[in-house]
């Protein structure tokens, strides 16, 4: 029978299957929630009444007149007081007993002087012997009640001399639950109808979202997805939670120079790519972006992203990669163009200011001053260019320094370059665009810090050397300086001393590039005031 129903269910269209499944789920959910609500409400009301009964009992046990009357076994005093408390608190009864459990006060007069044991077969030892408060549900001589019991201590608060038992009839609980039960049942029915309606709407919406496709048609699309994956130029590899390959494309096999006939599906990633960091991402769940990896003669730029379930657990990793030389070619071209454009802009602006000054001197007849200014500008600029040609023969790095030098003059600042600086022995394996990005961002940061603090006439200093095993760059500014906390946080993404939106990324990129080059960066107090950034990049590295 079950097989027949199952087979017929599978023959239904996806929309009908979803309506049945969601409707059944909604029915079970609303039924369970409704039943739980009724039970919880009943339990909560009983607990609340028990706590209220205990509170009343504690109040009675603490009344001085009650304590004195119990010490004197004075039922004549206790009975009216107990009845008054019951009336004022709407309790069903307030019973007071002595330390032997004999009633001293009871709503039924003929029960006074008798043992409290016949109410609920409880000898009240927890309260009378151990001094514990009690909340019990019992069927006693006065009906089913929630009872709160507490010991009565003597006037010194040392010895137990009696007990107070306060009961609240459970009939009020039953009546309340019955009233709520009808309301809850109505809500359950309305919720069920609403859930079924939502299920129908959702099923139609889902059907529309998948373009009215049936499971078979979705399977065909899955095959098309595989074909699309093969058309991507980037290599794609995915692994499951066990580290086994679940997805790959031909670009991945070609880039990794694997045998095109090899069967990768289901193979452990470690057997195909030994030491793959995909297993690390699988373990930590931390994505890795734009990582440079050398495999054989190739350097790849790799991204690795964890696949997360709805519960946030990692169940796989996807890695995309392509050859670095393809990206480096485009990046190098853009870096050079940007650097040249910035250099030309700064020079054009600087020379425009000088030309206006010279023109003004000529107009007022100060010919000698104009010639002197022309000679000084020519001498200074030629001296700087000559120093860069001799000590920094790499045109990209030299162009960056010259552009920042002109930028400083444009801002009214002075950029001093140590005449003993040299950067001749720069290994070809170190990407020039990364050195330019590191140096350019550090100098820009120094210019902005100095300009905000000192204004026109402020200085920054640059020194560099390639002696030894490292390339060393030092940039000093006359900014406000950095506290120890700022030195730790300034390289974090989005951290900046400027209040404008959009800052806080330059130094973060600097640290990323320095780490990719296996270098270090530190911050010290500068001799000219402000901060000194020191960058060390080892010459002999594999990037």
């Amino acid at each position: 029978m079950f097989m027949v129903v199952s087979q017929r269910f599978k023959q239904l269209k996806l929309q009908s299957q979803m309506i049945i499944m969601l409707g059944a789920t909604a029915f079970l959910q609303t039924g369970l929630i409704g039943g739980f609500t009724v039970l919880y409400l009943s339990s909560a009301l009983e607990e609340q009444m028990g706590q209220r009964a205990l509170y009343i009992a504690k109040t009675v046990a603490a009344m001085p007149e009650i304590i004195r009357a119990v010490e004197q076994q004075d039922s004549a005093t206790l009975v009216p007081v107990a009845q008054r408390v019951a009336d004022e608190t709407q309790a069903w009864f307030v019973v007071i007993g002595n330390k032997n459990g004999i009633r001293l006060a009871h709503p039924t007069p003929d029960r006074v002087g008798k043992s409290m044991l016949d109410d609920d077969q409880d000898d009240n030892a927890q309260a009378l012997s151990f001094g514990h408060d009690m909340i019990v549900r019992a069927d006693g001589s006065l009906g089913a009640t929630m009872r709160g019991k507490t010991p009565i201590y003597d006037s010194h608060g040392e010895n137990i001399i009696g007990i107070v038992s306060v009961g609240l009839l459970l009939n009020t609980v039953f009546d309340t639950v019955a009233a709520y039960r009808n309301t809850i049942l109505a809500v359950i029915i309305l919720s069920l109808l609403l859930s079924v309606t939502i299920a129908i709407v959702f099923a139609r919406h889902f059907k529309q979202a998948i373009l009215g496709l049936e499971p078979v048609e979705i399977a065909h699309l899955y095959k098309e997805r595989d074909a699309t994956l093969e058309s991507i130029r980037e290599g794609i590899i995915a692994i499951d939670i066990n580290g086994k390959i679940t997805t790959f494309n031909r670009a991945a096999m070609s880039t990794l120079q694997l045998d095109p006939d090899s069967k990768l599906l289901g193979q452990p990633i470690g057997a195909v790519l030994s030491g793959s960091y995909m297993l690390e991402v699988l373990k930590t769940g931390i994505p890795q972006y734009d990582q440079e990896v050398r495999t054989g003669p190739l350097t790849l730029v790799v991204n690795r992203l964890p696949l997360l379930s709805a519960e946030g657990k990692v169940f796989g990793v996807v890695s995309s990669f392509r050859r670095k030389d393809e990206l480096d070619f485009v990046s190098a071209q853009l870096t050079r163009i940007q650097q040249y454009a910035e250099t030309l802009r700064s020079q054009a602006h600087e020379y425009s200011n000088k030309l206006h000054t010279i023109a003004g001197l000529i107009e007022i007849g100060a010919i000698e001053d104009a010639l002197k200014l022309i000679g000084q500008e020519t001498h200074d600029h030629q001296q700087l260019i000559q120093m860069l040609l001799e000590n920094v023969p790499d045109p990209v790095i030299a162009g960056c320094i010259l552009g920042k030098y002109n930028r400083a003059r444009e801002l009214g600042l002075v950029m001093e370059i140590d005449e003993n600086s040299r950067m001749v022995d720069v290994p070809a394996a170190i990407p020039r665009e990364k050195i330019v990005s590191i140096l350019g961002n550090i100098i820009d940061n120094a210019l902005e810090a100095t300009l905000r603090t000192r204004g026109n006439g402020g200085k920054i200093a640059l020194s560099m050397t390639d002696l030894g095993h490292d390339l060393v760059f030092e940039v000093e500014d006359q900014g406000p300086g950095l506290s120890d906390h700022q030195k730790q946080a300034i390289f974090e993404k989005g951290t900046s001393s400027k209040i404008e939106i959009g800052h806080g990324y330059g130094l973060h990129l600097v640290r990323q590039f320095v780490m990719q080059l296996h270098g270090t960066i530190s911050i010290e107090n500068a001799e000219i005031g402000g901060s000194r950034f020191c960058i060390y990049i080892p010459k002999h590295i594999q990037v």
Side-chain angles (χ1 to χ4, degrees):
M1 181 65 180
F2 175 78
M3 296 296 295
V4 174
V5 173
S6 176
Q7 187 65 30
R8 290 184 178 179
F9 179 79
K10 291 180 180 179
Q11 293 175 353
L12 295 174
K13 291 187 176 182
L14 180 62
Q15 182 175 356
S16 300
Q17 292 181 10
M18 292 184 64
I19 291 175
I20 293 173
M21 292 178 65
L22 292 176
T25 301
F27 176 77
L28 291 175
Q29 287 179 338
T30 52
L32 290 174
I33 291 174
F36 173 78
T37 301
V38 171
L39 293 176
Y40 179 79
L41 177 63
S42 177
S43 175
L45 288 175
E46 288 187 9
E47 176 66 20
Q48 183 180 9
M49 293 188 69
Q51 292 291 339
R52 180 167 170 257
L54 181 61
Y55 175 78
I56 296 171
K58 284 176 168 287
T59 302
V60 173
M63 295 171 62
E65 58 183 314
I66 295 294
I67 295 173
R68 287 194 300 270
V70 171
E71 289 178 333
Q72 299 171 4
Q73 304 289 303
D74 186 1
S75 295
T77 300
L78 291 173
V79 170
V81 173
Q83 188 61 47
R84 186 181 77 247
V85 171
D87 294 340
E88 291 176 352
T89 60
Q90 297 182 343
W92 187 243
F93 64 81
V94 175
V95 176
I96 302 174
N98 61 18
K99 64 180 180 181
N100 297 318
I102 303 301
R103 299 187 186 96
L104 299 176
H106 192 278
T108 305
D110 59 0
R111 291 186 178 271
V112 175
K114 296 180 180 180
S115 174
M116 298 173 68
L117 184 63
D118 61 357
D119 268 347
D120 49 19
Q121 302 303 311
D122 185 357
D123 60 3
N124 300 309
Q126 291 292 322
L128 291 173
S129 300
F130 303 104
H132 295 165
D133 296 329
M134 301 168 58
I135 297 177
V136 296
R137 184 184 187 279
D139 296 322
S141 60
L142 297 178
T145 57
M146 286 300 298
R147 302 183 179 187
K149 301 182 180 184
T150 190
I152 303 174
Y153 287 88
D154 60 19
S155 56
H156 300 290
E158 297 177 353
N159 301 314
I160 298 174
I161 61 174
I163 185 173
V164 177
S165 176
V166 175
L168 300 177
L169 270 181
L170 284 177
N171 290 341
T172 56
V173 173
F174 300 150
D175 294 341
T176 303
V177 171
Y180 277 105
R181 183 185 296 112
N182 295 332
T183 303
I184 292 173
L185 288 175
V187 171
I188 290 175
I189 294 173
L190 291 176
S191 298
L192 177 60
L193 295 176
L194 180 62
S195 298
V196 172
T197 303
I198 293 175
I200 295 174
V201 173
F202 177 75
R204 291 177 179 174
H205 174 75
F206 185 78
K207 188 75 171 178
Q208 293 175 354
I210 60 175
L211 304 179
L213 299 175
E214 294 298 321
V216 174
E217 297 170 319
I218 295 175
H220 292 162
L221 285 179
Y222 182 79
K223 295 180 179 180
E224 292 180 11
R225 190 272 305 177
D226 284 344
T228 303
L229 191 64
E230 293 298 333
S231 69
I232 298 175
R233 293 186 60 188
E234 284 195 349
I236 304 291
I237 291 182
I239 61 174
D240 60 16
I241 193 172
N242 298 314
K244 294 184 178 180
I245 297 175
T246 58
T247 302
F248 64 93
N249 61 359
R250 294 188 183 276
M253 303 186 70
S254 175
T255 302
L256 299 174
Q257 299 179 346
L258 300 175
D259 183 359
D261 296 326
S262 60
K263 303 297 183 180
L264 297 185
L265 201 63
Q267 294 293 321
I269 188 65
V272 178
L273 296 173
S274 59
S276 173
Y277 284 94
M278 293 180 71
L279 296 176
E280 178 182 338
V281 177
L282 186 64
K283 183 183 298 183
T284 63
I286 301 175
Q288 298 176 355
Y289 299 102
D290 299 327
Q291 300 291 309
E292 294 185 11
V293 176
R294 182 173 290 278
T295 171
L298 299 177
T299 299
L300 306 178
V301 177
V302 184
N303 293 289
R304 307 179 186 93
L305 279 75
L307 300 175
L308 303 177
S309 66
E311 295 79 19
K313 296 182 178 180
V314 180
F315 65 88
V317 177
V318 174
S319 176
S320 65
F321 49 89
R322 68 183 308 164
R323 293 175 56 174
K324 181 178 181 294
D325 52 6
E326 298 178 5
L327 300 177
D328 283 349
F329 177 77
V330 177
S331 177
Q333 294 294 330
L334 292 175
T335 299
R336 287 184 174 87
I337 292 172
Q338 183 180 9
Q339 190 61 52
Y340 294 153
E342 184 177 349
T343 301
L344 291 173
R345 183 188 63 79
S346 298
Q347 288 180 341
H349 192 276
E350 177 68 14
Y351 284 128
S352 176
N353 291 335
K354 298 301 180 183
L355 287 174
H356 284 99
T357 303
I358 293 171
L361 291 173
I362 294 174
E363 287 182 3
I364 64 176
I367 304 301
E368 293 183 3
D369 291 335
L371 292 173
K372 183 178 179 181
L373 178 60
I374 293 171
Q376 181 65 37
E377 286 298 314
T378 302
H379 178 268
D380 292 345
H381 206 261
Q382 287 300 322
Q383 190 176 23
L384 174 62
I385 292 176
Q386 185 64 32
M387 188 274 288
L388 291 177
L389 287 174
E390 293 177 358
N391 297 342
V392 190
D394 189 287
V396 176
I397 300 176
C400 173
I401 296 173
L402 183 59
K404 299 305 178 185
Y405 178 85
N406 291 325
R407 175 59 176 164
R409 298 184 65 180
E410 179 184 335
L411 295 173
L413 303 175
V414 177
M415 179 174 170
E416 296 179 347
I417 302 175
D418 188 349
E419 60 183 9
N420 295 319
S421 293
R422 54 169 278 143
M423 193 57 57
V424 178
D425 184 19
V426 181
I430 299 180
R432 299 308 191 265
E433 66 273 9
K434 289 189 177 180
I435 294 180
V436 167
S437 295
I438 293 170
L439 191 57
N441 276 296
I442 291 293
I443 293 176
D444 284 340
N445 188 74
L447 290 174
E448 292 177 2
T450 301
L451 185 63
R452 291 198 314 271
T453 304
R454 299 299 178 94
N456 290 338
K459 296 181 180 180
I460 73 166
L462 168 65
S463 64
M464 51 191 169
T465 180
D466 58 358
L467 299 177
H469 300 290
D470 298 322
L471 304 179
V472 181
F473 300 90
E474 293 186 359
V475 179
E476 299 184 10
D477 62 53
Q478 288 184 320
L482 297 172
S483 65
D484 291 340
H485 173 72
Q486 289 174 319
K487 290 178 182 178
Q488 295 292 329
I490 196 169
F491 294 108
E492 297 298 329
K493 188 174 182 180
T495 300
S496 174
S497 59
K498 297 178 282 295
I499 61 175
E500 296 87 354
I501 297 174
H503 293 286
Y505 296 92
L507 293 181
H508 173 70
L509 291 175
V510 167
R511 184 176 67 172
Q512 279 193 322
F513 288 144
V514 170
M515 292 175 63
Q516 290 173 8
L517 296 175
H518 304 279
T520 60
I521 183 170
S522 62
I523 306 175
E524 304 170 355
N525 295 326
E527 294 179 0
I528 62 174
S531 303
R532 178 194 295 120
F533 286 76
C534 304
I535 301 101
Y536 302 87
I537 300 174
K539 293 181 182 180
H540 304 292
I541 58 174
Q542 289 184 343
V543 296

